Amino acid sequence: MGKMGSRGWKGSIVWLVLLAVMVSLSVTSVNSKMAQAAAPVFKDISGHWAKESIEAAVKAGVLNGYPDQTFKPQNPITRAELLKVISLTTKVEAAAAPAGKPWYTGYQRALTDAKIYAAGDFTGDLGKAVTRVEMAKLAVRGANAEYRGAKLTADELMFRAVNTGLLSRTGAKAETIDPNGTTTRAQAAVIVTRLLKLAGGGKLSVDQGASSAAEVAWHKHNMITMFDQDDLVKFPHRVNIDKTYDVIIDQLLVLDPSDKNGHYAEYLKDAKLYLDDEKSEPGKGYVFAYKLIGKNLIVNPTIKVGVSSSFYMFNSGASGGVTLKREYYYNDGSMKERLGLFVNQSVLTFDRKDNSGHDFYFSHVSKNFIKTQIKEYGGVPIHLERYGSQLSNETQFYLTEVKDKWAAK
């Protein structure tokens, strides 16, 4: 073959480049058509609340529909199926199951090696429907490497899932986080899209009311949700009031009356709120609700105390009280524990040993004051004073490591 001239050689190169471009455009066009054709069309998700998530999860190759062009969004997803879903979503490569082993074995081993799945996450038959808390365990570890291999309780993992926006409430009330409820295929699709969004650097919206409910179920307060603060004593926390009785602070709930979808919002509806220095508007303050249990230390039939009057929350800013709707006040002679927020109008009697009584103590605290406290001290000092005492080291106590300027007095 003879030598090619300079002009002919360059012309051939140009022709090859043009041909490559044409081929590239042709493939792109074909891929585009294929992508459009691959868009899932299911006849049972029109108008469904998770329609967009279902379509996105199927397009991502994580979930599939059925041959009859249905997705069956309300069908439960099994534990074994969730292993595959999480593996595909988090891009953890799994080998094929060894001969004679269940089909999901490769996914289970891969997630175990990645510390996303831990022994004990699923108890029993992996062919059974997965619960929401079981899904939360894998989703939280899949989304955040910090939790992989960490020994966290199921309650904490449920909270972490809700607090990061992976899960939200299942009903109208914030408390309906339903950890033991069945996970549907639609809910699994939502988890897939949320995990993919986080992996892509996006942020998820958080259901604050549900986060509070999950946090209270975990460790009996919601200070992380409300103020990103976790320096509290462990609840239930016992405090000696005097030689006659102790009070156990069972829970501390921080509630925002302006949040109509917030934690225990239904119990604050139409409540009267008071602030010393500001107008009593729902958006002006937080309600600190202390759930209490009084226990007598001596037996003396003549002694009676109001458990809710054992201490008060000290604030140097605007603060005040809370009056719930009349239906949440009980004068039936019992000091038993009741649902939600309540006021027992009876008193704790000392007529028998180890008598106990439940009640709430409420304090309405200015949001502006809380902001200044966080700015000044790096957190909210939960500063409490035994009722009827003077401010001093002997009578005051804190539920937080953060303390205010009165701690040294």
Side-chain angles (χ1 to χ4, degrees):
M1 182 178 289
K3 290 183 179 180
M4 184 178 290
S6 171
R7 179 175 297 178
W9 178 78
K10 291 180 179 178
S12 296
I13 294 295
V14 171
W15 183 84
L16 288 171
V17 170
L18 287 173
L19 179 61
V21 171
M22 291 172 66
V23 171
S24 175
L25 288 174
S26 176
V27 171
T28 301
S29 177
V30 170
N31 284 344
S32 177
K33 290 178 181 178
M34 288 176 65
Q36 291 176 10
V41 178
F42 301 118
K43 57 188 179 183
D44 61 345
I45 65 170
S46 178
H48 194 277
W49 63 270
K51 181 177 183 293
E52 292 184 2
S53 293
I54 292 169
E55 292 174 341
V58 173
K59 284 182 181 179
V62 177
L63 291 171
N64 295 313
Y66 292 89
D68 61 354
Q69 289 188 309
T70 64
F71 184 79
K72 298 179 174 41
Q74 297 309 117
N75 277 17
I77 186 170
T78 67
R79 293 162 170 169
E81 289 169 338
L82 184 67
L83 290 172
K84 181 179 179 180
V85 166
I86 296 296
S87 180
L88 293 175
T89 305
T90 57
K91 296 182 172 27
V92 174
E93 293 187 12
K101 295 291 184 181
W103 67 266
Y104 56 79
T105 304
Y107 298 108
Q108 189 176 26
R109 287 182 178 177
L111 291 177
T112 300
D113 291 341
K115 297 184 178 180
I116 293 175
Y117 175 83
D121 280 347
F122 300 155
T123 55
D125 185 1
L126 267 67
K128 290 186 176 180
V130 69
T131 64
R132 281 168 55 80
V133 70
E134 289 172 339
M135 178 173 65
K137 294 174 183 180
L138 272 61
V140 168
R141 298 193 199 107
N144 194 330
E146 175 187 353
Y147 300 122
R148 297 179 189 178
K151 293 184 178 180
L152 306 179
T153 65
D155 284 339
E156 179 174 357
L157 285 165
M158 188 69 184
F159 163 68
R160 299 296 177 191
V162 179
N163 188 245
T164 54
L166 288 168
L167 293 180
S168 54
R169 71 187 74 189
T170 58
K173 295 181 180 180
E175 297 76 46
T176 54
I177 51 177
D178 197 18
N180 296 316
T182 299
T183 299
T184 65
R185 284 170 52 81
Q187 291 170 337
V190 172
I191 283 291
V192 169
T193 56
R194 291 176 179 177
L195 283 171
L196 291 175
K197 186 173 182 178
L198 287 178
K203 291 186 177 180
L204 303 176
S205 59
V206 176
D207 184 338
Q208 188 180 74
S211 178
S212 286
E215 187 179 355
V216 171
W218 167 34
H219 61 180
K220 295 178 173 284
H221 70 70
N222 62 332
M223 291 284 286
I224 300 175
T225 298
M226 300 303 290
F227 308 123
D228 195 25
Q229 183 175 343
D230 191 21
D231 65 337
L232 276 72
V233 298
K234 184 178 180 180
F235 293 125
H237 179 63
R238 194 164 193 144
V239 179
N240 176 244
I241 301 302
D242 59 35
K243 66 180 181 180
T244 63
Y245 78 108
D246 290 347
V247 160
I248 297 169
I249 302 175
D250 186 54
Q251 295 180 10
L252 169 57
L253 313 176
V254 182
L255 310 173
D256 186 350
S258 66
D259 184 359
K260 302 305 180 185
N261 293 312
H263 184 42
Y264 278 179
E266 65 272 28
Y267 293 99
L268 289 179
K269 184 179 180 182
D270 300 325
K272 294 181 180 179
L273 309 171
Y274 307 93
L275 286 174
D276 294 336
D277 304 323
E278 300 181 25
K279 291 182 179 179
S280 299
E281 298 175 11
K284 292 288 186 179
Y286 295 109
V287 171
F288 284 71
Y290 298 84
K291 190 174 183 180
L292 309 176
I293 306 171
K295 287 187 176 291
N296 62 305
L297 301 177
I298 65 172
V299 177
N300 186 333
T302 65
I303 299 178
K304 299 177 182 180
V305 299
V307 174
S308 63
S309 300
S310 299
F311 60 82
Y312 64 92
M313 185 174 179
F314 181 84
N315 302 295
S316 56
S319 62
V322 178
T323 302
L324 303 177
K325 287 178 65 176
R326 192 65 207 169
E327 63 188 277
Y328 302 126
Y329 286 78
Y330 298 88
N331 195 20
D332 55 6
S334 172
M335 293 197 72
K336 66 182 181 181
E337 183 180 13
R338 307 174 195 271
L339 292 176
L341 305 181
F342 59 86
V343 175
N344 279 325
Q345 295 188 287
S346 300
V347 292
L348 176 64
T349 59
F350 287 36
D351 56 338
R352 57 189 173 87
K353 186 179 180 180
D354 296 327
N355 198 16
S356 63
H358 295 257
D359 214 341
F360 266 96
Y361 162 65
F362 302 101
S363 183
H364 188 212
V365 184
S366 164
K367 288 183 178 179
N368 288 331
F369 175 68
I370 293 295
K371 288 179 182 178
T372 60
Q373 294 271 288
I374 294 173
K375 183 177 180 180
E376 185 171 357
Y377 302 110
V380 181
I382 307 297
H383 179 175
L384 305 176
E385 280 285 330
R386 289 169 176 81
Y387 198 80
S389 62
Q390 298 295 320
L391 183 64
S392 69
N393 285 329
E394 288 74 32
T395 59
Q396 68 181 338
F397 58 99
Y398 290 81
L399 301 183
T400 53
E401 292 179 9
V402 174
K403 296 179 173 60
D404 52 26
K405 65 181 180 181
W406 306 96
K409 293 186 178 182

